[in-house]
């Protein structure tokens, strides 16, 4: 569905939303995503095209998405994984006119629990990962790597970086992924002079067996009640 602009409004921003889907999330858990996408398509400020891309091989699917996007006249490409629940104001990230920007979400580590899949470089040149529960609502943060669960790329980036846009960096043995495909597109963008940002004011749900937002809230509240827990990490 495409929204028509009114005579007294600015032309709507053209966005292509792509959903890489591996059919790993049950239909009962996709309702919130479907409703969020429906609302995005109703916003007259945006001219939204939408396509779901099923298939395995996340790098292959993402490259097909980019190739299709470049055949369109959309200004922004927004990729949202099928297990994400985006916030209502997600499309407002276009106002930043960032090269690459991603909404904040949590991933899961079996030994350490929820984490934010993003890194930036500190003053010593070391990679630092933001801490869940403390990074939220701190504005737009420049980062060096960003997870691809909910990521927006400007056309100028994808027109500059040669294909394949998404790929894995593998170690010399060919047995281990050194850099995943989403982190590597960030690395490629930065090497071409672009900047990558994390929007901490827009937090996505990430459905596994529970919403990881709820886990982060519970852990953060526990830490605040018992500061000694910080020393154990």
């Amino acid at each position: 569905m495409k929204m028509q602009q009114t005579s007294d409004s600015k032309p709507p921003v053209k966005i292509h939303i792509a959903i890489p889907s591996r059919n790993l999330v049950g239909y009962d858990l996709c309702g919130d995503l479907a409703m969020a996408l429906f609302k995005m398509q109703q916003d007259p400020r945006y001219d939204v095209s939408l396509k779901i891309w099923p298939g395995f091989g996340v790098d292959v699917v993402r490259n097909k998405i980019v190739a299709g996007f470049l055949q369109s006249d959309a200004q922004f490409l927004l990729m949202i994984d099928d297990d994400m629940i985006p916030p209502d104001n997600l499309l407002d990230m276009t106002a930043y006119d960032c090269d690459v920007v991603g909404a904040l979400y949590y991933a899961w580590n079996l030994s350490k629990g929820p984490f934010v899949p993003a890194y930036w470089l500190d003053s010593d040149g070391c990679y630092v990962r933001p801490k869940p529960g403390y990074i939220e609502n701190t504005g737009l943060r420049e980062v060096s790597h960003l997870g691809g669960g909910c990521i927006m790329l400007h056309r100028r980036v994808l027109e500059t970086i040669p294909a394949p846009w998404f790929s894995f960096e593998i170690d010399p043995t060919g047995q281990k992924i050194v850099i995943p495909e989403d982190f590597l597109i960030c690395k490629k963008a930065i090497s071409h002079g672009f900047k990558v940002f994390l929007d901490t004011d827009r937090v996505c749900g990430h459905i596994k067996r529970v919403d990881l937002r709820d886990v982060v809230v519970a852990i953060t509240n526990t830490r605040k009640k018992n500061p000694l827990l910080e020393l154990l990490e």
Side-chain angles (χ1 to χ4, degrees):
M1 177 185 299
K2 291 181 178 291
M3 303 304 300
Q4 300 296 320
Q5 69 181 91
T6 59
S7 58
D8 59 348
S9 65
K10 295 188 298 183
V13 178
K14 293 186 177 182
I15 304 173
H16 177 64
I17 301 178
I19 312 295
S21 176
R22 293 173 292 171
N23 297 321
L24 297 180
V25 179
Y27 289 110
D28 57 329
L29 297 179
C30 292
D32 288 334
L33 173 58
M35 181 57 67
L37 294 172
F38 175 77
K39 289 179 179 178
M40 291 178 194
Q41 292 180 298
Q42 307 310 304
D43 192 327
R45 297 173 300 160
Y46 303 102
D47 182 348
V48 175
S49 58
L50 171 66
K51 184 173 180 179
I52 297 175
W53 295 78
F56 290 85
V58 64
D59 55 333
V60 174
V61 174
R62 291 194 191 279
N63 285 322
K64 288 181 178 179
I65 288 172
V66 174
F69 164 75
L70 291 176
Q71 295 299 312
S72 74
D73 61 350
Q75 185 179 5
F76 295 94
L77 171 61
L78 174 60
M79 281 189 273
I80 308 173
D81 286 355
D82 65 354
D83 57 358
M84 290 285 167
I85 304 175
D88 289 341
N89 61 352
L90 181 64
L91 297 188
D92 293 345
M93 289 197 301
T94 57
Y96 299 130
D97 196 41
C98 290
D99 302 318
V100 181
V101 60
L104 189 152
Y105 67 92
Y106 311 115
W108 182 261
N109 180 286
L110 288 175
S111 61
K112 296 184 178 180
F115 66 92
V116 178
Y119 290 91
W120 57 66
L121 288 172
D122 65 12
S123 57
D124 297 324
C126 298
Y127 287 110
V128 177
R129 175 181 284 166
K131 182 178 292 187
Y134 298 87
I135 185 65
E136 296 81 356
N137 299 308
T138 59
L140 200 62
R141 307 290 293 268
E142 186 171 357
V143 296
S144 59
H145 298 83
L146 184 70
C150 186
I151 187 170
M152 179 180 287
L153 302 105
H154 197 285
R155 170 176 285 273
R156 59 178 172 256
V157 177
L158 300 172
E159 289 180 334
T160 301
I161 298 174
W165 303 273
F166 288 89
S167 57
F168 295 99
E169 187 170 304
I170 309 296
D171 73 352
T173 68
Q175 302 297 315
K176 183 179 180 182
I177 296 175
V178 178
I179 303 180
E181 93 294 341
D182 45 6
F183 281 12
L184 195 54
I185 189 68
C186 296
K187 181 179 179 181
K188 292 178 179 179
I190 292 171
S191 71
H192 282 82
F194 297 110
K195 292 186 177 181
V196 179
F197 294 90
L198 174 67
D199 185 355
T200 69
D201 295 334
R202 292 174 175 82
V203 184
C204 293
H206 189 186
I207 299 298
K208 294 303 181 182
R209 291 188 178 278
V210 296
D211 189 332
L212 296 179
R213 287 178 297 186
D214 297 333
V215 177
V216 169
V217 169
I219 291 175
T220 302
N221 290 339
T222 301
R223 285 175 178 154
K224 289 177 179 178
K225 292 178 181 178
N226 188 355
L228 292 177
L229 292 176
E230 296 286 337
L231 302 177
L232 300 177
E233 294 187 344

